[in-house]
Amino acid sequence: MIGYGDVEIVCDPLNPEDGEQVVSVEVADIDESVGRFREQSRQDIAVSAGL
């Protein structure tokens, strides 16, 4: 899953044991994010993120 936006971390995640498992979370500025999408051949997402 890919998401982007302005966020503020206010506490540890509260995932139930049988819920989704987050493997990693990375903070990247928009230019780096667009570059990563292009590297993964996701031009569709790179164009939307670069708006």
Side-chain angles (χ1 to χ4, degrees):
M1 173 182 285
I2 299 169
Y4 61 91
D6 294 326
V7 297
E8 179 182 352
I9 298 172
V10 296
C11 68
D12 290 336
L14 302 173
N15 292 351
E17 288 187 29
D18 62 344
E20 66 183 11
Q21 299 299 309
V22 176
V23 175
S24 70
V25 175
E26 297 180 31
V27 176
D29 65 31
I30 193 68
D31 292 330
E32 182 177 348
S33 298
V34 168
R36 289 182 182 189
F37 295 144
R38 288 186 176 143
E39 288 172 5
Q40 297 298 314
S41 299
R42 292 303 309 263
Q43 185 64 21
D44 55 324
I45 300 172
V47 170
S48 296
L51 291 178

